[in-house]
């Protein structure tokens, strides 16, 4: 698991689309999809239900999204703290 994968999950959850999330993250859609698939393998379940028209969180995805947001928020806090410490 890495931060990029977590950022991708958050972007998909916020946009409701793999292609829009890929645009937001400045990667190709296959790159984003592969990263999420690897994360899902590592976590042992799907985070998103996918149809040709809609992307939604699975129950596992809904359960884990707050933890993902918390982890990404902690990274932002760490970076901000480091920046302030240098000042």
């Amino acid at each position: 698991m890495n931060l990029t994968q977590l950022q991708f999950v958050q972007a998909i959850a916020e946009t409701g689309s793999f292609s829009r999330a890929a645009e937001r993250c400045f990667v190709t859609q296959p790159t984003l999809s592969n990263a999420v698939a690897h994360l899902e393998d590592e976590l042992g379940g799907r985070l998103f239900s996918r149809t040709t028209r809609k992307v939604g969180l699975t129950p596992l995805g809904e359960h884990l999204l707050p933890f993902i947001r918390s982890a990404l928020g902690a990274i932002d806090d760490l970076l901000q703290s480091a920046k302030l410490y240098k000042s």
Side-chain angles (χ1 to χ4, degrees):
M1 170 180 330
N2 62 54
L3 291 175
T4 301
Q5 291 169 315
L6 300 180
Q7 290 167 333
F8 289 171
V9 169
Q10 181 171 286
I12 296 164
E14 290 174 356
T15 63
S17 164
F18 276 67
S19 58
R20 285 193 302 269
E23 288 174 11
R24 180 191 282 190
C25 296
F26 304 103
V27 297
T28 65
Q29 187 271 326
T31 296
L32 183 129
S33 293
N34 287 334
V36 171
H38 283 95
L39 179 61
E40 289 174 328
D41 286 345
E42 186 174 347
L43 295 173
R46 288 198 165 268
L47 300 174
F48 297 99
S49 58
R50 304 158 175 91
T51 67
T52 55
R53 302 183 128 206
K54 185 178 172 187
V55 173
L57 289 165
T58 63
L60 176 62
E62 288 182 24
H63 175 73
L64 293 180
L65 186 60
F67 296 101
I68 291 169
R69 286 187 170 139
S70 178
L72 292 172
I75 294 299
D76 289 341
D77 291 346
L78 184 142
L79 293 171
Q80 185 65 27
S81 181
K83 184 184 283 186
L84 292 173
Y85 182 80
K86 291 178 183 177
S87 299

